Amino acid sequence: MKIVVITGSRRGLGYGMARGFLKRGCKVVINGRKEAEIAVTVDALSNEFGADMVTGCAASIVSYIDMKRLWQRPIDVWGQPADIWINNAAVSVPTKSLTELDPQQLKTIVDTNLTGILLANKVVLNEMLALGKGEIWNVKGLGAQGRKLPAMMAYAATQNALVALRKGVQRELSGTDVKVSAVNPGIVITGLLRESVDQSSVHWPQVRNMFNTLGDTVDDVAPWIVDEILSGKPSGTLLDWLPYPKRLWRVIKSVFVKRDLI
């Protein structure tokens, strides 16, 4: 039975993955920033899958101390560390150009989506290397493949940096049984994404068309990710839900069939 920690799993894709792992008999640690909201999520999942299968921990990915505490949570509850750690937490995507973002928005994007991922990886890598085993999966977003995205360049820049992280850490781990891999889930249409878009932006029609053409729901993407992770992929794997041939087909198909996801 695997123990899985998923950052940012109170809702959206993280929550969908949590349910997927629980359905397959894994134990799961739910994470978010607010204790009260996590308690509601844990109660709901406990009612469905059993109280001994799920626990929660309020912790911010931008805090090194919080990440240490999150690592300790399954040990305190079940007496065992995480087998699989998934870095899914990220801030929402403001659909604004770099010139439109205020300095605090820009700082939040970088702190959470890049610095936070580096801190979480540092904590978990040290612990897993001491144990001699474990898997880290970093969930990447739009921009990870280097595409130029209107009104989302700051976010895309942080995601592109995760490519270097996966490749560099994989080399550092050579000769060990600790794995670092990545998931590119494509555009997942979640409540958080809907809340974050700026429909008044001049870029909105173009962004909306991209979301509807290339987007998918949590129910489509999450089960596939869970099955792929549990299949025992080698270190350095990139799970790509929407590779180029699939994206190309979506674009061609959009000429004839319109999708309305957002």
Side-chain angles (χ1 to χ4, degrees):
M1 178 184 294
K2 299 286 188 181
I3 294 178
V4 185
V5 174
I6 308 173
T7 68
S9 48
R10 191 182 64 78
R11 60 176 179 169
L13 179 62
Y15 180 78
M17 288 190 289
R19 293 194 77 253
F21 281 112
L22 287 165
K23 285 181 178 180
R24 289 153 181 80
C26 300
K27 292 184 175 181
V28 175
V29 179
I30 297 296
N31 164 254
R33 290 177 294 177
K34 297 180 179 179
E35 191 72 56
E37 294 177 344
I38 293 173
V40 172
T41 302
V42 170
D43 283 347
L45 293 173
S46 295
N47 290 334
E48 185 175 359
F49 298 101
D52 189 49
M53 298 300 293
V54 59
T55 187
C57 180
S60 170
I61 195 172
V62 300
S63 168
Y64 180 77
I65 294 174
D66 278 10
M67 290 298 98
K68 292 279 286 185
R69 186 159 48 81
L70 182 57
W71 170 263
Q72 187 64 31
R73 182 63 178 176
I75 300 172
D76 291 342
V77 175
W78 297 307
Q80 294 178 284
D83 300 292
I84 300 170
W85 179 291
I86 301 175
N87 285 313
N88 172 72
V91 294
S92 56
V93 189
T95 51
K96 295 181 179 180
S97 65
L98 184 61
T99 56
E100 292 174 312
L101 287 169
D102 65 49
Q104 186 55 50
Q105 284 178 314
L106 186 58
K107 185 175 185 301
T108 298
I109 292 170
V110 175
D111 285 350
T112 304
N113 297 352
L114 183 53
T115 305
I117 295 292
L118 290 170
L119 286 174
N121 274 268
K122 173 180 171 56
V123 167
V124 181
L125 279 172
N126 283 335
E127 299 289 353
M128 287 185 171
L129 284 169
L131 292 168
K133 62 178 182 177
E135 298 180 38
I136 300 174
W137 290 84
N138 296 312
V139 178
K140 304 189 295 182
L142 287 165
Q145 295 170 317
R147 297 196 300 275
K148 299 174 178 64
L149 304 169
M152 299 173 72
M153 287 310 300
Y155 178 89
T158 64
Q159 300 307 298
N160 200 15
L162 297 184
V163 176
L165 174 65
R166 173 175 60 90
K167 294 178 179 179
V169 174
Q170 183 189 2
R171 293 191 183 97
E172 291 180 356
L173 295 175
S174 178
T176 76
D177 288 325
V178 178
K179 303 176 183 180
V180 172
S181 298
V183 178
N184 188 354
I187 302 173
V188 184
I189 308 299
T190 64
L192 186 61
L193 179 64
R194 290 188 177 91
E195 293 167 10
S196 69
V197 296
D198 180 5
Q199 297 189 26
S200 66
S201 170
V202 66
H203 302 289
W204 172 239
Q206 187 177 0
V207 171
R208 182 174 185 269
N209 181 63
M210 177 181 65
F211 285 171
N212 282 323
T213 300
L214 301 178
D216 290 283
T217 68
V218 170
D219 290 341
D220 289 328
V221 181
W224 175 82
I225 293 174
V226 170
D227 286 337
E228 289 293 304
I229 289 176
L230 291 177
S231 69
K233 301 293 185 184
S235 185
T237 293
L238 171 60
L239 298 179
D240 192 356
W241 167 257
L242 204 66
Y244 178 74
K246 192 174 178 180
R247 293 200 310 272
L248 180 60
W249 172 242
R250 286 276 185 91
V251 172
I252 294 171
K253 189 177 178 180
S254 69
V255 176
F256 307 99
V257 179
K258 299 298 181 183
R259 304 166 82 222
D260 189 20
L261 300 178
I262 188 170

